[in-house]
Amino acid sequence: MPFTIRLFALWLAALGSPVFADTTANYVGPNAAITMKVEIASNGDVRGATSNPNSYFITRDGQGYMIQASFNGPAVMRVQDMATVMAEQMKKMMPNMPAGAGKDAPAFDLVKGGTVTIRGRQGTAYYMGKSANGALIGPPIVVISNDPALAPIGAAMQRQFDMSLAMMGHIFGAANPFKSMQEILKSGTPLVFTGMELDTVNNEPIPTSRFDLPAQPLTLDGVRKNMGAAAQ
């Protein structure tokens, strides 16, 4: 479950506010084994990448794209086309599964804890749940800061999560097992997000070329072929 939410985070399909300056946020995982860099332009464009050098994500003009390395150069895929192909592939693997079959999935409800400090920043912690004796379970799944200086990051993370849930509509239907996380992300900026911690933040200008697509987006049929090859 935490991996799924982290994957959602990497879509980075955010719509920022023009009053924000350029912002770059770096998240790190345990022992820095995983890193995630989020670049947010003042006009709302976003670029996100993990320590995996073979793929990254761009949102520009409100549209999300995934860029993957391939033998023929970078493959640019629209997020909505990827969602279509994912639904098609799932239908092939489970032809008898009705749309919205995941609507009965258990709700991923988080439990609010107290204030914690993450790399010098304070925020409210949320946990997986409570044990029978009332103790909070495990480390925080998410920690939320209300620092206004971090607001551009919070806006990006919130809106990409909303878009990610919309993409998964063919599984969940009208249900939303992640409503708890969705509401929490609306309240501020994540200092911790499923094990990754916000490390450094700066407002240095970001070249507009960072948000350029390296190639024309693939057609829907091209996405089918590219994702089929990846699945194999």
Side-chain angles (χ1 to χ4, degrees):
M1 190 68 69
F3 176 80
T4 302
I5 298 175
R6 188 178 303 127
L7 182 61
F8 284 165
L10 296 179
W11 288 116
L12 296 173
L15 298 175
S17 168
V19 301
F20 294 146
D22 289 356
T23 302
T24 300
N26 292 286
Y27 284 81
V28 296
N31 301 318
I34 301 174
T35 62
M36 180 170 71
K37 183 177 184 179
V38 183
E39 298 169 272
I40 309 166
S42 59
N43 68 353
D45 290 349
V46 178
R47 176 179 174 131
T50 67
S51 41
N52 176 5
N54 296 319
S55 64
Y56 61 97
F57 298 86
I58 284 180
T59 295
R60 50 181 296 152
D61 302 323
Q63 298 296 317
Y65 304 87
M66 179 177 178
I67 296 90
Q68 288 184 331
S70 73
F71 290 113
N72 297 319
V76 180
M77 297 179 288
R78 296 180 181 88
V79 168
Q80 62 265 36
D81 289 343
M82 294 181 69
T84 298
V85 174
M86 288 167 59
E88 293 173 349
Q89 291 180 342
M90 185 170 293
K91 186 66 175 177
K92 289 179 181 178
M93 290 186 292
M94 294 177 283
N96 297 321
M97 185 185 75
K103 61 180 174 34
D104 296 323
F108 187 63
D109 291 332
L110 299 179
V111 176
K112 184 177 181 180
T115 300
V116 298
T117 300
I118 305 295
R119 297 178 182 261
R121 304 180 182 94
Q122 288 192 329
T124 303
Y126 295 83
Y127 298 81
M128 282 291 293
K130 289 185 177 181
S131 63
N133 63 5
L136 293 165
I137 299 174
I141 297 298
V142 62
V143 176
I144 296 294
S145 168
N146 296 120
D147 184 348
L150 303 178
I153 306 167
M157 298 294 277
Q158 173 208 329
R159 289 172 181 170
Q160 64 78 29
F161 195 78
D162 289 347
M163 181 178 175
S164 298
L165 289 179
M167 286 180 54
M168 300 300 289
H170 62 281
I171 298 177
F172 300 126
N176 182 3
F178 298 103
K179 183 175 179 58
S180 175
M181 177 67 81
Q182 192 174 26
E183 292 302 316
I184 290 169
L185 288 177
K186 291 179 182 178
S187 67
T189 299
L191 302 179
V192 172
F193 197 68
T194 62
M196 301 193 74
E197 298 181 350
L198 179 60
D199 186 20
T200 60
V201 178
N202 71 68
N203 297 110
E204 296 176 3
I206 303 172
T208 57
S209 59
R210 292 288 290 169
F211 308 99
D212 290 342
L213 299 179
Q216 286 295 314
L218 297 176
T219 64
L220 179 57
D221 190 53
V223 174
R224 289 189 181 104
K225 293 177 180 177
N226 190 69
M227 292 184 68
Q232 293 173 11

